[in-house]
């Protein structure tokens, strides 16, 4: 019932689909306590076939039946217990034993991120109710599995189906997912300071839009890459990369970066083309045009005039799957 990834080529091989862990009920399987599902057709249609799903149902995979007694989190929001609502039977140890084993499996399966079920006592990322002994709300917390995922995979993008309804959250999730994949692709199988430098140069504009300070720190790492052991260099760079990409680029930041790109491109453009580009960039800055509009316009000029330095930038050379997902086509 749970569709786990099988034996296949290395998931980091360029061009292969990124793997995403997902709560099984969101895929439409009847695994909830009452034998129903919580599929999200809009979400699944938006992702389409651009990713490979790794389905995860903590309750079923740890041995609970379908249907089963409903459960909730109880007592201390900082250290909640998972208990059955009708009888108060404590299922915490059983769940935690399974979580430790399953996280090891997911690490081996090379998942790139997670889409979890909101408000679930196992998978909810936030606002999961915690009840006291009288059944009153004692606070809110994170589901047991979701909390363990955040601790074990702190660099991976993790969201839930409700949060991904927000366009800015969706766009940032997809951008983070593919940026991390490109980084790991570039560092396998022949990781070297040179491959790191190539990746860094190609992502300067994208990183500038998210976190200029982190970009400078990453540049320092690259400049002194031969002075550090390769494992330490890679780990420090990846942490800075994922932390920077977690910050959502504002329309103003995007516009500033696009203006920088235009400055490198305008020597090839006619005055009218340059003005059109300026107008569209400012439309985006003011919230009147999506980012895809000025990006698409500049991208066409970059290809027309064969401006290789810009064509190599990740923001203009994104994988077609990433572009399609970010535009929710």
């Amino acid at each position: 019932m749970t569709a786990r990834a099988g034996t296949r080529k290395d998931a980091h091989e360029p061009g292969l689909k990124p793997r995403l862990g997902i709560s099984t009920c969101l895929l439409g399987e009847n695994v909830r306590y009452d034998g129903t599902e919580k599929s999200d057709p809009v979400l699944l249609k938006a992702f389409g076939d651009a990713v490979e799903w790794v389905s995860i149902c903590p309750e079923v995979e740890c041995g609970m039946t379908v249907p089963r007694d409903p459960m909730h989190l109880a007592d201390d929001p900082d250290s909640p217990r998972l208990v059955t609502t009708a009888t108060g039977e404590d299922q915490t140890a059983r769940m935690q034993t399974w979580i430790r084993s399953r996280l090891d499996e997911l690490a081996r399966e090379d998942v790139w991120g997670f889409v979890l079920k909101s408000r679930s006592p196992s998978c909810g990322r936030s606002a999961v109710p915690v009840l006291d002994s009288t059944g009153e709300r004692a606070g809110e917390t994170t589901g047991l599995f979701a909390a363990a995922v955040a601790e074990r995979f702190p660099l991976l993008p993790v969201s839930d189906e409700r949060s991904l309804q927000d366009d800015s959250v969706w766009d940032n999730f997809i951008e983070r997912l593919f940026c991390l994949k490109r980084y790991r692709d570039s560092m396998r199988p022949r990781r070297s300071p040179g491959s790191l430098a190539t990746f860094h140069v190609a992502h300067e504009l994208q990183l500038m839009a998210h976190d200029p300070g982190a970009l400078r720190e990453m540049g320092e790492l690259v400049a002194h890459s031969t002075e550090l052991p390769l494992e330490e260099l890679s780990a420090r760079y990846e942490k800075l990369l994922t932390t920077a990409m977690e910050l959502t680029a504002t329309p103003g930041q995007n516009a500033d970066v696009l203006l920088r790109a235009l400055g490198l491109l305008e020597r090839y453009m006619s005055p009218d083309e340059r003005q059109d580009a300026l107008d569209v960039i400012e439309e985006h800055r003011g919230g009147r045009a999506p980012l895809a509009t000025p990006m698409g316009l500049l991208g066409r000029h970059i290809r027309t005039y064969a401006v290789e330095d810009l064509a190599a930038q990740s923001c203009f050379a994104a994988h077609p799957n990433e572009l399609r997902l970010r535009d929710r086509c």
Side-chain angles (χ1 to χ4, degrees):
M1 180 204 60
T2 52
R4 300 189 186 180
T7 303
R8 47 168 280 177
K9 294 181 180 179
D10 186 345
H12 299 291
E13 183 179 328
L16 293 182
K17 299 175 184 179
R19 291 171 176 163
L20 278 181
I22 186 172
S23 296
T24 304
C25 59
L26 294 175
L27 291 175
E29 295 197 37
N30 299 322
V31 295
R32 300 188 74 234
Y33 74 93
D34 56 359
T36 63
E37 45 86 10
K38 279 287 186 178
S39 61
D40 190 324
V42 174
L43 176 80
L44 297 179
K45 181 180 179 181
F47 274 108
D49 62 355
V51 301
E52 178 182 336
W53 294 118
V54 178
S55 73
I56 305 161
C57 181
E59 289 80 5
V60 170
E61 291 184 33
C62 79
M64 299 181 190
T65 61
V66 179
R68 57 186 173 271
D69 291 336
M71 293 181 292
H72 65 270
L73 297 180
D75 299 340
D76 183 1
D78 293 328
S79 183
R81 295 185 303 117
L82 180 66
V83 301
T84 56
T85 301
T87 64
E89 183 179 355
D90 194 328
Q91 300 284 352
T92 311
R94 179 183 193 176
M95 179 62 73
Q96 292 290 13
T97 298
W98 170 84
I99 285 173
R100 288 190 290 272
S101 173
R102 189 66 172 108
L103 291 181
D104 288 342
E105 291 180 359
L106 290 167
R108 291 192 295 271
E109 290 174 355
D110 284 326
V111 291
W112 297 92
F114 294 86
V115 179
L116 301 177
K117 179 69 188 79
S118 60
R119 298 177 62 81
S120 159
S122 59
C123 291
R125 294 178 57 249
S126 62
V128 180
V130 180
L131 307 184
D132 63 21
S133 58
T134 68
E136 295 297 318
R137 185 185 290 258
E140 296 180 342
T141 190
T142 304
L144 298 187
F145 177 69
V149 164
E151 182 177 355
R152 179 67 178 270
F153 304 110
L155 303 183
L156 299 186
V158 182
S159 193
D160 59 60
E161 86 286 4
R162 290 193 178 189
S163 298
L164 288 175
Q165 293 174 7
D166 182 286
D167 286 343
S168 63
V169 174
W170 169 270
D171 186 74
N172 187 249
F173 182 88
I174 299 302
E175 191 178 10
R176 290 176 64 196
L177 176 67
F178 279 86
C179 184
L180 179 60
K181 186 178 190 308
R182 283 194 301 273
Y183 173 71
R184 292 184 175 176
D185 283 347
S186 71
M187 298 300 283
R188 294 189 183 192
R190 297 181 180 85
R191 178 167 46 189
S192 69
S195 59
L196 178 63
T198 299
F199 174 89
H200 183 75
V201 169
H203 288 74
E204 285 180 326
L205 291 182
Q206 186 174 18
L207 288 164
M208 189 181 300
H210 285 265
D211 191 341
L215 174 61
R216 287 190 292 272
E217 192 171 349
M218 294 160 77
E220 286 294 314
L221 266 181
V222 172
H224 298 89
S225 59
T226 58
E227 301 171 14
L228 292 171
L230 197 53
E231 287 293 332
E232 180 183 351
L233 172 69
S234 178
R236 286 175 60 181
Y237 188 93
E238 183 170 328
K239 184 174 182 179
L240 283 169
L241 173 68
T242 53
T243 301
M245 292 300 297
E246 191 172 2
L247 298 176
T248 301
T250 66
Q253 290 169 313
N254 285 328
D256 288 344
V257 168
L258 289 168
L259 287 176
R260 181 180 289 262
L262 180 60
L264 299 174
L265 180 61
E266 61 184 358
R267 73 185 69 176
Y268 306 100
M269 303 167 69
S270 70
D272 286 345
E273 288 175 332
R274 180 182 180 279
Q275 188 59 52
D276 285 344
L278 282 172
D279 290 344
V280 173
I281 290 171
E282 293 308 314
E283 286 281 315
H284 172 68
R285 186 193 300 275
R288 298 181 298 278
L291 179 59
T293 302
M295 289 290 293
L297 179 61
L298 290 187
R300 287 191 293 275
H301 287 307
I302 289 167
R303 291 189 295 274
T304 297
Y305 297 116
V307 185
E308 294 183 4
D309 289 346
L310 287 175
Q313 285 295 308
S314 59
C315 49
F316 297 113
H319 190 280
N321 278 345
E322 179 182 356
L323 296 176
R324 176 167 62 83
L325 288 172
R326 291 181 67 180
D327 202 28
R328 286 198 198 241
C329 292

